[in-house]
Amino acid sequence: MHERADLQALVPYLEPMWRKYITDFGWQPERVLPYSQYAAGGLDRLDAKLPDGRPGGSDYDLLRRQLLDEHDIDYAVLTGWLDASALQPGWAEFKTALMSAYNDWQIADWLSRDDRLLGSVHVNAHDPIGAAREIDRIGSHPKMVQAILYIADKAFGDPYYHPIYEAIARNNLALGFHHSENAPTALGFHRYFVEWHTLVPQVFMSELVSLIFNGVFDKHPELKVFMIEGGFTYVPHLMSRADQQYKELRSEVPWVKRMPSDIIRQQVRFATQPTEEMSLTQFMRLIDWCESDELFCFSTDYPHWDFDSPTEALPQGLSEDLQRKIFVENAQNGYAKMPALRTAGQ
C-alpha cells in the first residue's frame, strides 16, 4: 500500500541547507509518463481521495477505515510514493537528503500511529554510498522490513549498486522493487496508457534478469527480493527462458552457480497486484508451472484505481493451506523482521 507525502510536509525533516530546493526553487519530482491514468479518480480510487483535494494515501484515518479495518489487515507494508531511485540522477546530494527526510516523516506520521503498519527504507540509488549510509542509519528500526527501489530505466544488478545490497544484508532487510511512472517499455513510451500499463511486467523481468546474471543472489544467498505491483503471470515464462539461456551461455557468467529458476524459487517473491482475472484451474496451473506455491504474496495496491480486494481478487475455491501461504506465510518467510500475526491461529 502507498502512503503519500506532500513535499511541504518533508521540509521540517530536511537539514536547513536542503530546504530551499523545495521552499525557494519549487522542486518537483521529474515525471516522464506522457499520459494520466484513464480512470475516474486518476491514479487513485475515487473514494480514497480527500474532500480537500489531497490524493489517496494522504490521510491515515481514511486509510485505516478503508483498508486496515474494513479488511481486517494484520500487517501492511508501506511502499511510499516518492522514491529518488526512479528520478533523474541530478542533484544527487539533495535527493539523498530528501530520502532521509521521507524516512523520518514515514516513521513519525505513519509507523508510530498503528502497530499494523510496517515500513520501507527509501533511498537514492543514484548515490549508492549515500543509499547504503541511509540503510545503516534507519534499517535497524524495528518496523522497517525492507529497502525499496523504484524502477525507471536503470538495471539495478550492475555492480555500481552493490553497496546497497550489502547494506540491506547487514540490516537483515528484504529488498523491494516497484515500477514507477518513469519506467519505459522495451520500446519507450507508447501512444496510450493502456499500452504502457499492459507492458509494466517488462521492467520487472529486466530487473530480475539483471540481478540474477550480475551475481547479486549468489553474492547474497540470504537476500530476499519482492517484486511489487508488476503482477505474477509472467513468472513461469521468465523462469523457463532464463534457464534455457543459462544452459547455453553460462560460461559468460561463471559467478552464477544455480539455475535461474532455482534462484527465483529460493530468493524471490512476487506481489499479486495487479491480479488478472482467471479461473481456479488457471491459477493452479500457473502455480504448477512455477513448481512452487511459495512465490506469491497478496497485495492490494491501495489507494490506486486498480485496487485488489482481499476477498475478491483471487479465484474462489483456493484451499485453506494455499490461502494461508499467499496471504500470510510467503510474506513472513521473505520479510525476516515481520512480526507474528496479532491473532494467534488466524
Side-chain angles (χ1 to χ4, degrees):
M1 56 150 285
H2 295 277
E3 81 287 3
R4 193 176 180 100
D6 181 272
L7 287 177
Q8 294 298 325
L10 303 182
V11 171
Y13 298 96
L14 280 167
E15 295 180 15
M17 66 179 296
W18 302 118
R19 294 175 184 174
K20 63 180 181 290
Y21 284 76
I22 295 174
T23 59
D24 298 352
F25 304 160
W27 178 85
Q28 291 289 323
E30 304 94 356
R31 187 178 189 270
V32 177
L33 196 70
Y35 17 67
S36 5
Q37 281 77 358
Y38 197 73
L43 174 64
D44 302 320
R45 287 170 34 171
L46 190 59
D47 66 344
K49 303 184 82 164
L50 281 297
D52 60 9
R54 283 180 295 157
S58 299
D59 184 81
Y60 161 72
D61 290 323
L62 181 59
L63 179 145
R64 174 180 53 78
R65 292 196 304 272
Q66 290 186 336
L67 181 65
L68 301 178
D69 293 348
E70 180 176 338
H71 296 287
D72 194 23
I73 303 294
D74 266 68
Y75 295 107
V77 179
L78 302 174
T79 56
W81 154 75
L82 179 65
D83 192 283
S85 299
L87 304 180
Q88 296 300 308
W91 280 0
E93 297 85 359
F94 162 67
K95 291 173 182 175
T96 295
L98 186 66
M99 292 299 93
S100 294
Y102 191 95
N103 292 328
D104 290 339
W105 168 85
Q106 179 189 178
I107 292 170
D109 279 36
W110 289 89
L111 299 184
S112 66
R113 301 181 69 177
D114 198 309
D115 289 341
R116 295 170 290 183
L117 296 178
L118 303 173
S120 299
V121 181
H122 291 257
V123 299
N124 177 16
H126 301 300
D127 175 14
I129 301 303
R133 183 170 61 245
E134 177 64 10
I135 293 168
D136 285 332
R137 183 184 77 91
I138 211 74
S140 62
H141 189 285
K143 299 193 76 178
M144 288 294 188
V145 298
Q146 69 179 356
I148 192 164
L149 300 180
Y150 270 56
I151 305 167
D153 60 355
K154 299 294 187 291
F156 285 129
D158 190 306
Y160 176 73
Y161 302 104
H162 287 198
I164 298 173
Y165 312 136
E166 292 164 6
I168 289 171
R170 283 196 300 271
N171 289 276
N172 199 29
L173 297 172
L175 168 61
F177 284 96
H178 192 294
H179 76 281
S180 75
E181 294 176 331
N182 295 343
T185 75
L187 299 178
F189 290 94
H190 295 229
R191 293 182 64 203
Y192 298 109
F193 177 77
V194 64
E195 298 179 76
W196 176 83
H197 206 248
T198 298
L199 297 171
V200 161
Q202 287 183 346
V203 294
F204 288 91
M205 290 189 279
S206 297
E207 293 296 1
L208 197 46
V209 167
S210 178
L211 293 171
I212 290 171
F213 290 120
N214 282 277
V216 173
F217 292 107
D218 285 275
K219 187 176 181 180
H220 300 287
E222 76 289 353
L223 180 68
K224 295 295 190 293
V225 171
F226 285 81
M227 310 305 277
I228 303 167
E229 206 176 312
F232 58 95
T233 54
Y234 65 88
V235 176
H237 163 70
L238 179 62
M239 295 168 78
S240 175
R241 175 76 177 177
D243 278 359
Q244 185 61 41
Q245 296 304 299
Y246 179 65
K247 292 174 184 176
E248 297 172 355
L249 301 169
R250 70 176 70 189
S251 61
E252 185 184 18
V253 286
W255 44 83
V256 180
K257 304 300 184 184
R258 292 170 288 163
M259 294 289 286
S261 61
D262 290 332
I263 291 174
I264 290 172
R265 293 187 191 97
Q266 293 161 11
Q267 293 185 246
V268 185
R269 300 292 179 267
F270 301 86
T272 54
Q273 205 282 334
T275 303
E276 299 165 24
E277 295 181 10
M278 65 184 80
S279 68
L280 177 62
T281 299
Q282 291 170 323
F283 187 83
M284 295 308 300
R285 185 178 298 127
L286 189 67
I287 288 179
D288 287 342
W289 286 339
C290 292
E291 299 181 20
S292 175
D293 59 5
E294 298 179 350
L295 297 183
F296 305 148
C297 304
F298 184 78
S299 59
T300 66
D301 194 27
Y302 179 91
H304 289 170
W305 62 276
D306 52 350
F307 167 82
D308 277 351
S309 165
T311 59
E312 299 179 14
L314 298 179
Q316 299 297 307
L318 296 177
S319 70
E320 289 187 9
D321 286 346
L322 184 54
Q323 288 187 59
R324 186 171 182 84
K325 283 180 177 287
I326 294 172
F327 283 97
V328 180
E329 292 175 355
N330 292 346
Q332 284 184 322
N333 292 337
Y335 288 121
K337 293 173 62 178
M338 179 172 280
L341 292 183
R342 293 179 296 112
T343 306
Q346 184 172 337

